[in-house]
């Protein structure tokens, strides 16, 4: 799923290297991004059906027998409709807050001397998803790596295959020209992160060295955006990244 998201982000960027004029490249990238966004949303809903319905057993924990007694004593704190109301309320609340973040991020970049990319790609996701990160660490300490990986990879899949294309589709409806081209540096960082994570998980084992290497990879990517000093960040990039962080925090809360 993440490689499909990477492909759909990579191809619009490659239009500018195709040799055609800039106007043709921009129009082709926009048209392809809209078509790819529809495909990505369809693929994400197919993924949800696969995970929650047709092949649910593939995503269940392997040690269910050991946890049967523990789970039997657990009771739901709130009901379905109560949870749905809370989720809906927090969605509206976080959406309002995200508007304020979008309006102030450029001023924060100027006053703090940091690039907009670093604030929107590194700082905002860390702060906005603090509860999610804490939960993943707690589950990892309890040796429930299935849940920890579900939090990490599930969030990345949700953002890459649903939130980003949904932003493009909504912008299309509103008459805003927003595509999937997030420039070479952002797309390259995404590609290297996905490939490295895939290699780390391919043998199905986990140890501290893998986690340390992945952490160093994140630090290197963060350092790259920290030293970046460009003023070409456009408004739709800011809005989309901010919406990614806000929506991700809401869904996982």
């Amino acid at each position: 799923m993440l490689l499909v998201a990477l492909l759909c982000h990579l191809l619009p960027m490659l239009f500018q290297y195709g040799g055609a004029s800039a106007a043709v490249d921009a129009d082709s990238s926009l048209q392809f991004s809209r078509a790819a966004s529809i495909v990505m949303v369809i693929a994400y809903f197919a993924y949800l059906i696969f995970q929650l319905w047709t092949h649910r057993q593939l995503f269940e924990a392997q040690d269910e027998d050991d946890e049967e007694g523990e789970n039997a004593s657990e009771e739901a704190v709130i009901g379905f409709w109560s949870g749905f109301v809370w989720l809906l309320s927090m969605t509206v609340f976080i959406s309002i807050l995200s508007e304020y973040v979008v309006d102030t991020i450029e001023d924060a970049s100027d006053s703090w001397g940091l690039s907009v990319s670093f604030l929107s790609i590194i700082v905002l996701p860390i702060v906005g998803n603090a509860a999610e990160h804490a939960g993943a660490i707690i589950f990892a300490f309890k040796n429930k790596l299935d849940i920890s990986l579900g939090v990490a990879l599930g969030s990345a899949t949700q953002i890459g295959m649903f939130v980003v294309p949904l932003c493009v589709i909504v912008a299309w409806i509103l008459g805003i020209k927003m595509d999937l081209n997030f420039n070479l540096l952002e797309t390259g960082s995404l590609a290297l992160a996905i490939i490295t994570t895939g290699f780390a998980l391919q043998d199905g084992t986990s140890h501290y060295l893998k986690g340390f290497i992945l952490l160093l990879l994140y630090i290197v990517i963060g350092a790259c955006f920290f030293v970046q000093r460009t003023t070409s960040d456009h408004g739709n990039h800011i809005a989309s990244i901010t919406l990614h962080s806000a929506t991700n925090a809401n869904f996982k809360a």
Side-chain angles (χ1 to χ4, degrees):
M1 294 291 290
L2 291 177
L3 288 175
V4 171
L6 174 61
L7 177 65
C8 294
H9 284 77
L10 182 63
L11 292 179
M13 185 194 68
L14 296 179
F15 276 108
Q16 59 184 312
Y17 301 102
S21 62
V24 174
D25 288 341
D27 185 65
S28 300
S29 176
L30 181 62
Q31 293 179 3
F32 172 81
S33 297
R34 291 170 174 175
S37 296
I38 297 175
V39 172
M40 293 166 69
V41 171
I42 295 175
Y44 182 75
F45 280 106
Y47 164 73
L48 291 181
I49 294 174
F50 180 86
Q51 181 183 26
L52 302 177
W53 186 21
T54 61
H55 291 71
R56 184 176 181 178
Q57 68 278 5
L58 298 179
F59 298 89
E60 295 177 350
Q62 299 297 324
D63 52 349
E64 289 182 354
D65 296 336
D66 298 337
E67 298 179 356
E68 184 176 356
E70 179 182 351
N71 293 335
S73 60
E74 295 180 357
E75 297 181 358
V77 178
I78 58 177
F80 172 79
W81 290 109
S82 298
F84 180 80
V85 171
W86 275 105
L87 181 63
L88 182 62
S89 301
M90 294 305 298
T91 300
V92 175
F93 180 68
I94 293 177
S95 299
I96 296 174
L97 291 181
S98 65
E99 291 294 329
Y100 288 101
V101 173
V102 171
D103 293 336
T104 59
I105 190 172
E106 288 186 332
D107 295 334
S109 175
D110 296 334
S111 60
W112 293 352
L114 300 175
S115 67
V116 173
S117 296
F118 179 78
L119 291 175
S120 59
I121 297 176
I122 305 298
V123 177
L124 282 180
I126 292 178
V127 177
N129 301 329
E132 177 184 285
H133 300 158
I137 294 174
I138 291 174
F139 285 121
F141 269 113
K142 294 181 179 180
N143 201 29
K144 297 181 179 180
L145 293 183
D146 289 341
I147 301 179
S148 296
L149 287 176
V151 171
L153 299 181
S155 298
T157 303
Q158 180 186 85
I159 298 301
M161 293 294 293
F162 179 70
V163 178
V164 175
L166 182 63
C167 290
V168 175
I169 294 174
V170 172
W172 183 13
I173 297 174
L174 298 177
I176 301 173
K177 293 183 178 181
M178 177 181 177
D179 58 18
L180 295 174
N181 181 10
F182 290 108
N183 300 323
L184 181 60
L185 180 59
E186 289 83 354
T187 307
S189 300
L190 175 64
L192 293 176
I194 292 175
I195 293 173
T196 305
T197 304
F199 276 110
L201 299 177
Q202 64 177 350
D203 59 354
T205 62
S206 175
H207 47 73
Y208 75 91
L209 183 60
K210 287 185 177 181
F212 183 66
I213 294 300
L214 292 175
L215 182 60
L216 292 180
L217 174 66
Y218 185 79
I219 293 175
V220 170
I221 294 176
C224 177
F225 288 105
F226 180 78
V227 301
Q228 184 187 31
R229 291 292 186 272
T230 61
T231 59
S232 61
D233 300 291
H234 43 284
N236 62 345
H237 175 66
I238 301 171
S240 63
I241 294 298
T242 305
L243 182 58
H244 302 170
S245 177
T247 308
N248 191 19
N250 169 69
F251 269 80
K252 292 307 176 182

